[in-house]
Amino acid sequence: MKQMHLFLSFFFLALVISCSKDDETINEPLELEQELNNLPIAPENISHTIIALNWEAVKADNNAKVTYDIYLEGVKIKEGNEDTDFTLTGLESDTDYTGEIIANSSSEKSKSKTSKVRLDKIPFSAKTKKYKNANAPEPSDFLIEVTNITLVSATLQWEAATITDNSEIRYDVYLEGDKVSENSTSTRFLLPLLNSNTEYTGEIIAISSNEKTKNIGFSFKTKESNNLSTEPSDFTVDIEFVRDDFARALWKRPNFDNDAEILYDVYLGDEKVLENNTDARQLLNIQLRDLKPNTSYSGKVVAKNTTTTTTKTGHFSFITPETITLSDFTMSIDDITSNSARINWTSSVASDNSEVSYKLLGIIASDSSTEIFFKANDLRPSTRYVITIQATAGNVYQVNQFIQKEFTTAASPVDNPNISFPLSHVGGGVIEWVPPIAPDGQGFIYNVYEGLELKEANLPGTTNMLNNIVPVDEFGQFTFESYGNYDIEVEAVFSDGSIAIEKLNFRIDPPPPYPVENLSVENITGTTATINWLPSYTPNGGTIYYNVYLDGNPVTNMYTYFETSYTFENLTPNTFYNVTVEALSDGGSSDPVDISFSTL
């Protein structure tokens, strides 16, 4: 983010805290001996719709915490800003703006009351840029979706904006007034290292090459921690995924005065369940297993600075819920024909009285539903089917119970071994075949199976009885769009009651993942550096791993590294390094992405 420096001169403010009946009062300073000057903003920090503010920190008595309220044209647009910078977005071009930044600190008046003391008022003024072509089109509106919200992160996904003059569009992302991504062509962005149970707002700005912009806002709330601890902590430990026998403790890397290695000890009660863990990531977790249901637990995470031998402690506590059980249920199958059957089952009851839903798994599958029956159609004649029903319930967490039963459909038509129509795999998932000659010269149909599953039924067949020659352009065809190994069977069913079957086996390989985006280097010292990148993905949603190379040498093990950052250690000062990152999946590896840096 481009920043602007405030050139302010001021004297120490005398503060008087008065009593109030309210829980929070605001006391004005007795004297304001500061000369209030307009905030000088350099032109490079102003665009057509944005003004980036940056000011010097204001100090309070006893080093009390200072926050800032930001006003634009007399309207408060941000309260309690903890940083000394903020970006004004969504402004009009070629427009004068004025505002002020008010510094506040809070002091404790009693155990139940606090006083909010106004320390200083910092005015500013600026004018946004004028468009070279005011009539140029703007990017279109676009929808933003916030997904994968956890205690400490969320993912932004949005539709690509369009523009009538086909200008290139890039995106800046702002969160709580801070620019967190700049000049990106991706329509996906991960927001990491957030606080739990916290409301967040932000904007995504689509910027076209003709200088026009479109601002779209978003808001979300991170998940609430299950941590019940009231003990004072140096850093926060969140508890999530609490079940009757399991929970996960999650915390951010605490800050020490140096960059030394941090070791972690984790205690559950008086038992040390992890000792001297050296994980260098910014976000860490441990799985707490073999817990007892309906039991209170407390513990702590102790972070140890290996250089200064100082420690910081994060406390946590939680209560495991009661074990949820599902009663037994039974299944019956009736109305069995050559291509259908009705599946019925009795109801199961959950011990916590939550609603029970059911779904069929396997070759015969269904969506989740509270119904206790299912009509299976388009089955194969004379075929054995195994039916699996999953019952699911639970208000606090989910439990499952399964039952299985098998049956065989009625007999199929008579197989006619004298008729054949060889199949060919043309490419991708396309299957072609030359139509067979029907024994009675009549029309017929095709049924197409993948394994035991009927994919298409009653596809119309064609035939040509002229000298028993079929024109080469009269092909049957069927297309599969997914990936994996295929056992394909095409069944021609003739009007005289006979059938002809042809089979084909082939494999469709998944595509490789896309290259990583926004590869960057930060926190460079003489011996360390950290790289970050956005997660890659594949069209088929496969699992993504990453390979990291330093000067061509791998520093991660293939198909084992999932993180989207990596910290290099033991580097040589004042040395140039080249880093390569590639994404891996079952479909192979992506194109590599390179970045270079020099140690200090």
Side-chain angles (χ1 to χ4, degrees):
M1 182 190 305
K2 296 181 178 179
Q3 298 181 338
M4 298 165 285
H5 296 285
L6 303 177
F7 300 96
L8 303 174
S9 60
F10 60 92
F11 298 95
F12 182 76
L13 301 178
L15 306 178
V16 176
I17 303 175
S18 62
C19 298
S20 171
K21 295 181 181 181
D22 298 329
D23 286 344
E24 180 181 81
T25 59
I26 300 178
N27 295 333
E28 296 288 350
L30 281 177
E31 297 180 4
L32 185 61
E33 299 180 351
Q34 178 182 3
E35 180 183 356
L36 301 181
N37 298 319
N38 282 346
L39 174 68
I41 301 178
E44 62 266 24
N45 295 310
I46 303 174
S47 74
H48 307 86
T49 60
I50 291 174
I51 300 175
L53 306 176
N54 184 285
W55 59 94
E56 294 181 357
V58 176
K59 295 184 179 179
D61 283 341
N62 301 320
N63 292 319
K65 181 178 180 180
V66 177
T67 61
Y68 304 89
D69 296 342
I70 301 169
Y71 291 79
L72 181 66
E73 302 295 333
V75 178
K76 184 190 290 186
I77 60 173
K78 176 67 175 180
E79 182 175 8
N81 193 71
E82 297 182 358
D83 301 323
T84 57
D85 63 308
F86 189 82
T87 301
L88 306 173
T89 61
L91 307 179
E92 296 291 333
S93 65
D94 194 27
T95 302
D96 289 305
Y97 286 95
T98 61
E100 58 188 13
I101 301 164
I102 296 179
N104 305 292
S105 72
S106 297
S107 62
E108 186 176 316
K109 297 177 61 179
S110 67
K111 291 185 177 179
S112 61
K113 296 182 179 180
T114 60
S115 176
K116 186 176 181 180
V117 181
R118 179 172 294 175
L119 299 175
D120 203 0
K121 181 191 295 183
I122 308 168
F124 64 87
S125 65
K127 185 175 183 178
T128 51
K129 288 184 177 181
K130 183 178 181 179
Y131 286 118
K132 295 178 181 178
N133 180 9
N135 296 322
E138 294 181 350
S140 66
D141 288 334
F142 53 94
L143 297 177
I144 303 174
E145 183 180 11
V146 186
T147 62
N148 301 326
I149 300 174
T150 70
L151 291 167
V152 293
S153 67
T155 299
L156 303 177
Q157 291 181 294
W158 61 94
E159 298 176 343
T162 59
I163 192 166
T164 56
D165 66 355
N166 295 320
S167 299
E168 183 183 20
I169 296 179
R170 294 180 177 269
Y171 303 92
D172 290 351
V173 181
Y174 289 82
L175 183 69
E176 297 296 326
D178 292 326
K179 183 185 289 185
V180 294
S181 177
E182 183 176 21
N183 204 31
S184 172
T185 58
S186 175
T187 56
R188 188 171 184 268
F189 186 76
L190 174 67
L191 299 170
L193 300 177
L194 307 178
N195 296 317
S196 63
N197 194 29
T198 302
E199 298 275 2
Y200 285 95
T201 60
E203 286 183 302
I204 297 176
I205 304 179
I207 308 170
S208 70
S209 54
N210 67 19
E211 300 180 328
K212 288 298 184 75
T213 62
K214 178 68 69 174
N215 296 50
I216 304 295
F218 63 85
S219 62
F220 64 94
K221 185 177 182 180
T222 49
K223 289 187 176 180
E224 184 175 0
S225 170
N226 289 310
N227 189 359
L228 307 177
S229 176
T230 58
E231 295 187 64
S233 292
D234 298 317
F235 60 94
T236 301
V237 180
D238 290 316
I239 301 296
E240 63 177 10
F241 301 140
V242 180
R243 296 173 54 94
D244 59 341
D245 62 349
F246 173 87
R248 187 171 80 162
L250 186 74
W251 68 94
K252 296 179 185 177
R253 178 185 173 93
N255 293 322
F256 285 91
D257 293 335
N258 55 49
D259 294 327
E261 181 181 47
I262 299 176
L263 303 179
Y264 299 96
D265 292 345
V266 180
Y267 294 81
L268 186 61
D270 295 329
E271 180 185 359
K272 185 183 291 186
V273 295
L274 182 68
E275 183 174 17
N276 290 336
N277 181 61
T278 59
D279 198 327
R281 292 175 297 177
Q282 291 295 315
L283 190 63
L284 304 101
N285 70 85
I286 180 175
Q287 297 178 353
L288 306 172
R289 299 183 179 275
D290 300 325
L291 305 179
K292 295 180 180 179
N294 194 26
T295 302
S296 296
Y297 285 94
S298 62
K300 61 184 179 181
V301 177
V302 179
K304 301 179 291 187
N305 188 308
T306 57
T307 299
T308 63
T309 68
T310 56
T311 63
K312 291 186 177 183
T313 303
H315 294 276
F316 63 86
S317 62
F318 61 93
I319 301 173
T320 53
E322 288 277 6
T323 300
I324 303 172
T325 59
L326 282 169
S327 65
D328 294 336
F329 62 108
T330 60
M331 178 185 3
S332 62
I333 303 172
D334 54 27
D335 296 337
I336 301 173
T337 69
S338 62
N339 60 7
S340 67
R342 180 183 170 92
I343 304 165
N344 311 278
W345 56 93
T346 60
S347 298
S348 179
V349 178
S351 60
D352 66 345
N353 296 318
S354 59
E355 183 179 71
V356 182
S357 61
Y358 308 89
K359 65 179 178 180
L360 276 67
L361 308 175
I363 294 174
I364 299 179
S366 72
D367 295 330
S368 182
S369 169
T370 57
E371 300 286 351
I372 55 173
F373 69 90
F374 181 79
K375 182 63 179 295
N377 295 310
D378 300 327
L379 306 181
R380 297 188 63 183
S382 300
T383 302
R384 172 179 169 270
Y385 288 93
V386 177
I387 305 300
T388 301
I389 299 177
Q390 172 185 295
T392 302
N395 286 325
V396 179
Y397 63 95
Q398 288 192 333
V399 295
N400 300 305
Q401 183 162 312
F402 304 86
I403 57 173
Q404 272 191 351
K405 194 178 183 67
E406 64 179 64
F407 72 97
T408 301
T409 50
S412 62
V414 177
D415 188 12
N416 189 333
N418 298 317
I419 299 177
S420 64
F421 53 107
L423 310 181
S424 62
H425 176 215
V426 180
V430 179
I431 310 301
E432 287 189 346
W433 60 89
V434 177
I437 303 301
D440 57 2
Q442 303 298 313
F444 55 93
I445 62 170
Y446 297 112
N447 294 322
V448 181
Y449 296 88
E450 177 193 333
L452 297 178
E453 183 178 359
L454 179 65
K455 303 299 290 188
E456 286 289 343
N458 302 326
L459 292 178
T462 59
T463 187
N464 187 324
M465 291 302 294
L466 179 61
N467 299 323
N468 288 334
I469 297 176
V470 179
V472 294
D473 59 347
E474 290 189 10
F475 286 99
Q477 190 178 83
F478 191 76
T479 303
F480 295 90
E481 297 180 350
S482 57
Y483 309 99
N485 295 306
Y486 284 95
D487 295 318
I488 304 301
E489 184 175 303
V490 179
E491 177 183 81
V493 182
F494 305 109
S495 57
D496 67 352
S498 65
I499 61 173
I501 298 174
E502 293 294 339
K503 298 180 180 181
L504 181 67
N505 306 106
F506 63 93
R507 173 178 175 78
I508 302 176
D509 292 320
Y514 294 111
V516 302
E517 295 183 347
N518 288 21
L519 180 60
S520 62
V521 186
E522 62 182 25
N523 301 330
I524 300 174
T525 70
T527 58
T528 64
T530 298
I531 59 171
N532 298 282
W533 61 90
L534 290 180
S536 176
Y537 60 97
T538 62
N540 63 321
T543 301
I544 300 295
Y545 311 84
Y546 299 98
N547 266 358
V548 179
Y549 299 85
L550 184 64
D551 288 341
N553 299 312
V555 295
T556 58
N557 294 322
M558 186 176 293
Y559 297 109
T560 61
Y561 194 73
F562 297 90
E563 305 302 325
T564 56
S565 67
Y566 188 87
T567 298
F568 298 101
E569 299 178 344
N570 300 320
L571 302 177
T572 302
N574 194 28
T575 301
F576 181 84
Y577 288 97
N578 185 71
V579 175
T580 302
V581 178
E582 64 179 6
L584 301 170
S585 72
D586 291 342
S589 60
S590 71
D591 291 335
V593 178
D594 297 309
I595 194 169
S596 299
F597 67 93
S598 292
T599 49
L600 302 180

